[in-house]
Amino acid sequence: MLVRRVSYPGTVRTWVAPGRVNIIGEHTDYNDGYVLPIALPLVVRCAAAERTDGRVRVGSRQRPGEPVLVAVCDLAPQRARVPGWARYPLGVVAEFARRGHRIPGVDLDLDGAVPIGAGLSSSAALSCAVAVALRDLFAPELTDRALIDVARAAENDYVGAPTGLLDQSAAMLCTAGHALLLDVRAFAADATAPRGAGYEQIPFDLGAFGLELLVIDTGQPHELVDGRYAERREQCAAAAGALGVATLREVISPADADRITDGVLRRRARHVVTENARVLAVAKKLRAGVDPRGIGPVLTAGHVSLRDDFEVSTPALDAAVHAALAAGAHGARMVGGGFGGSVIALVDHDRTAIVVESVRRHFARTGFSEPRTFVVVPAAGAHRIG
């Protein structure tokens, strides 16, 4: 994919950051729980160069037209005037400046291959691509852990998307050929913790077992800023309060969650408790090097929990899971925040085409638009490529 080049005062270099899918572990990160993502081969590219006039210019190949140009010192006051898509990169610049890092000006040209609204963390890929570019240009002392905090703060405070640590951590820390087991409570406890604290790289080589991980993008976009994601966070906090704990991470048994009298809060807590257990169960199997087909039922159980207890699935997501399983997938579930987006399916290599056709036919019969499907393998986290 070509990145549009323009004339810069400084030398142009390019950085990339990947999208992600969770093998398992949805809505657990902001509950201080466990997640198990992989980085995607699909990335956002950021071509960047230093300016000397105190302004930041950001353009995007996916948003043709006049680029956004604003003074670094005016980023916070002018946030309301910034187009929605530009708030992600400009929010990262603003966060660098807020933390005392001198930004004399910068040109940013973006080009994204991560599908937007598919639940594959395109926004975190964008924010992290910009963050590593700014780090290398202006603050080389910053660690990956610090950049994760910068990128999350930009999304939370500048964009208004109440994300946890999952997306940015996956974009920064994932390695090729591995899934990232992240213990959010341990990882978040100290932003200055040494590299490796709170997370583990677990080998994830499906090809060695004749398997593939199929992504099914339903084409129904989801938005983290539409209120429903924030509502789930508030419900989880309320459920923790009802049980007298700081976060739902502290609840181990589903029986404890069942003590909550409010039915909605009880279901939310039950999902988080059982989802944490599923993450640890899948990680244990993968760590032991056993046939990954054994994690298939755990993935499917995760979807049932997201559908029934957390209530973030949709008819299209359910249809994709049903069609994939009916065609022989070992397991399937929705990924991401929900209310749209994508499904992953664990399939035998020689049945991938059959599963894809099953999903397409099922979608055609039920009136959904044709889904986009592609196979993914664990890729590397954010880095400079040129």
Side-chain angles (χ1 to χ4, degrees), residues 9 42 56 62 64 84 104 116 137 144 148 161 185 214 217 232 241 277 282 284 286 291 308 316 356 358 372 385:
L42 306 173
V56 54
Q62 283 68 49
I116 297 172
L137 289 173
D144 289 347
I148 291 167
R185 182 170 66 181
L214 177 68
D217 177 3
R232 293 304 186 277
V282 170
K284 182 178 181 179
L286 295 178
D291 188 335
D308 297 345
V356 168
S358 173
R372 176 186 179 188
I385 61 170

Side-chain angles (χ1 to χ4, degrees), residues 289-313:
V290 300
D291 188 335
R293 290 172 178 83
I295 74 172
V298 186
L299 304 187
T300 305
H303 180 77
V304 172
S305 181
L306 287 161
R307 182 193 67 199
D308 297 345
D309 281 342
F310 222 67
E311 298 177 283
V312 293
S313 189

